[in-house]
Amino acid sequence: MTEGKKPATALIEGGRRKDWTQGIVSPPVWRASTILFENVAEMEASNPPRQGRLQYGRNGTPTQWSLAEALTALEPGAAGTQLFPSGVAAISIALMSVLAPGDELLMVDSVYGPTRHFCDSVLAGIGITTRYYDPLIGKGIEALIGERTRAIFLESPGSHTFEVQDVPGICAVARARGLVTLLDNTWATPLLFPAIAAGVDITILAATKYIVGHADAMLGTVTATADYWPKLERMSRAFGQHVGPDDAFLASRGLRTLGIRLKRHEESALTVARWLADQPQVARVLHPAFADHPGHEFWARDFQGASGLFAFVLAGGSKAARDRLVDGLSHFGIGYSWGGFESLAIPSDPERIRSATRWQAEGPLVRLHIGLEDVEDLIEDLARGLAAYEAD
Ligand SMILES: *Cc1c(COP(=O)(O)O)cnc(C)c1O
């Protein structure tokens, strides 16, 4: 719990308990499988396993507990955080912890592709149905709630197209109807959107992105309120979820600089986005901070800022020419993921993964992650790419 500390301070001090660190500033790596006890009575007293009590490697050491505690401290109102080996593992176990065969899940249509895949394959296979809804539905979600509806999953802004949802509005409806809400908060992190305080029950991060921040480890996290924490802990343990201490260390180290990194990502991304909006080859920029962006009013009301990921729609042209534009950029890498220190560009075709809504645009789409390079270099690179696109 933050206990009055401002987020920037919680980020620096979180999880650094003296008995876990011995005073070492950056919580060190404790590697373990077997942990030895003095006698049988002491071994038995280590049960049931819980964070903060050494029992067996799978249940963590101070390295993992420290990271979990630091993340919980960023979410006022949260009871605890579980770590997972990837963002997708975090999402799937979080869903499994609140759903049972026969239940229905309401899922936002702009959700991350692999989340959709989990629902349509694993959940469908065990008799849990998924109904997709328009990201801009807001409190109108009430009309979709049926007898079997148990949970609402949100992701805001949405993957690739960045629609911002009315998260507090949807959560208020859910609470009044006795439903649980889960949010994929990877884009904003708790620094830009403290989700539990906004009414979310379970908030999820692909910590692979901004928490690790250096494109060198995979990790997922789930933070829950007291109502859902025991279920989450039980399900994680049942599925044997564990994060290696080296990866937890990297995430913990990345976390300390999250605040200043996000500021720079935000600033440079806005500079690039505003420049792109003025280019004749660009039809539209999809950035939550733009006044005409779908759901901008919710971003302006609820968020503390923007991160470095957004997209733009080209004014006409073919997908092949768009792909050549991306291939020709020299400061932007081409690859999955984002949230590291480096800039990335990927082509995206959202129409392929929608079912409740239709994606229509003036031309093909490019998603950018703006890294920590000099922003003028990035703009020059894009200017060359757009000029070649026009001539293509
Ligand atoms: C990348 C991503 C994930 C998945 O995280 P992994 O660590 O790659 O499994 C989930 N949600 C969003 C929004 C993402 O961008």
Side-chain angles (χ1 to χ4, degrees):
M1 210 104 348
T2 320
E3 282 165 40
K5 268 182 220 167
K6 297 211 167 35
T9 306
L11 206 55
I12 300 305
E13 297 181 351
R16 289 170 49 206
R17 293 191 199 198
K18 184 83 187 278
D19 54 338
W20 291 348
T21 64
Q22 309 296 309
I24 295 168
V25 170
S26 190
V29 178
W30 293 50
R31 293 194 185 86
S33 60
T34 297
I35 291 154
L36 300 174
F37 300 95
E38 282 300 317
N39 48 50
V40 173
E42 194 188 60
M43 183 168 89
E44 283 171 356
S46 75
N47 284 303
R50 59 168 164 75
Q51 289 184 9
R53 184 157 67 192
L54 283 172
Q55 193 252 10
Y56 174 50
R58 195 171 60 234
N59 298 310
T61 68
T63 312
Q64 292 96 341
W65 305 335
S66 167
L67 172 62
E69 185 170 272
L71 288 164
T72 306
L74 295 176
E75 287 283 359
T81 299
Q82 280 283 340
L83 307 181
F84 297 88
S86 71
V88 168
I91 291 164
S92 55
I93 303 285
L95 283 166
M96 293 297 285
S97 76
V98 296
L99 292 167
D103 287 347
E104 181 186 69
L105 166 69
L106 296 180
M107 172 59 74
V108 64
D109 205 27
S110 50
V111 75
Y112 180 65
T115 304
R116 178 182 283 267
H117 177 72
F118 178 75
C119 296
D120 297 346
S121 57
V122 178
L123 293 186
I126 57 173
I128 296 165
T129 51
T130 302
R131 197 163 161 197
Y132 292 91
Y133 68 87
D134 185 332
L136 300 173
I137 198 167
K139 291 185 184 141
I141 194 135
E142 180 133 35
L144 299 185
I145 298 172
E147 288 271 289
R148 299 192 301 113
T149 311
R150 177 77 199 103
I152 304 177
F153 193 103
L154 306 92
E155 182 182 320
S156 180
S159 273
H160 297 270
T161 43
F162 304 95
E163 296 90 339
V164 184
Q165 295 192 253
D166 180 4
V167 177
I170 292 175
C171 291
V173 170
R175 250 184 217 177
R177 300 290 299 264
L179 307 183
V180 50
T181 50
L182 307 94
L183 170 75
D184 184 332
N185 197 28
T186 301
W187 185 88
T189 82
L191 276 196
L192 303 182
F193 184 70
I196 301 283
V200 172
D201 297 309
I202 297 175
T203 178
I204 304 165
L205 299 176
T208 306
K209 313 289 167 55
Y210 283 126
I211 307 299
V212 167
H214 295 71
D216 50 10
M218 303 290 300
L219 207 126
T221 73
V222 182
T223 302
T225 59
D227 284 349
Y228 296 97
W229 172 247
K231 285 185 205 308
L232 175 70
E233 235 191 337
R234 235 178 289 130
M235 193 57 71
S236 308
R237 189 165 310 128
F239 275 93
Q241 298 297 296
H242 172 262
V243 166
D246 295 278
D247 289 342
F249 170 83
L250 288 173
S252 202
R253 187 161 72 174
L255 185 67
R256 309 300 169 188
T257 58
L258 177 65
I260 55 161
R261 284 187 288 110
L262 277 179
K263 272 258 162 280
R264 173 66 179 262
H265 285 297
E266 172 179 42
E267 215 174 87
S268 295
L270 276 170
T271 304
V272 173
R274 290 188 182 122
W275 177 84
L276 278 169
D278 286 340
Q279 305 312 304
Q281 304 91 346
V282 173
R284 251 189 306 153
V285 173
L286 307 178
H287 191 299
F290 278 34
D292 61 350
H293 184 72
H296 167 75
E297 64 275 28
F298 305 124
W299 177 81
R301 184 191 65 189
D302 301 335
F303 286 61
Q304 310 293 316
S307 62
L309 190 76
F310 69 95
F312 65 95
V313 175
L314 287 154
S318 67
K319 285 182 181 172
R322 181 265 319 263
D323 295 353
R324 284 193 289 278
L325 187 173
V326 171
D327 287 345
L329 297 172
S330 55
H331 293 304
F332 290 82
I334 303 170
Y336 292 111
S337 201
W338 47 277
F341 46 74
E342 84 291 12
S343 288
L344 297 166
I346 59 163
S348 168
D349 301 310
E351 67 276 13
R352 285 201 248 159
I353 50 168
R354 295 289 159 109
S355 56
T357 53
R358 267 191 76 200
W359 172 254
Q360 275 179 306
E362 301 84 341
L365 194 134
V366 178
R367 191 190 75 181
L368 297 180
H369 179 250
I370 301 302
L372 307 178
E373 302 88 346
D374 189 296
V375 72
E376 283 179 25
D377 284 340
L378 300 178
I379 289 178
E380 271 175 33
D381 200 12
L382 289 164
R384 273 192 302 271
L386 288 176
Y389 186 76
E390 196 165 22
D392 199 309

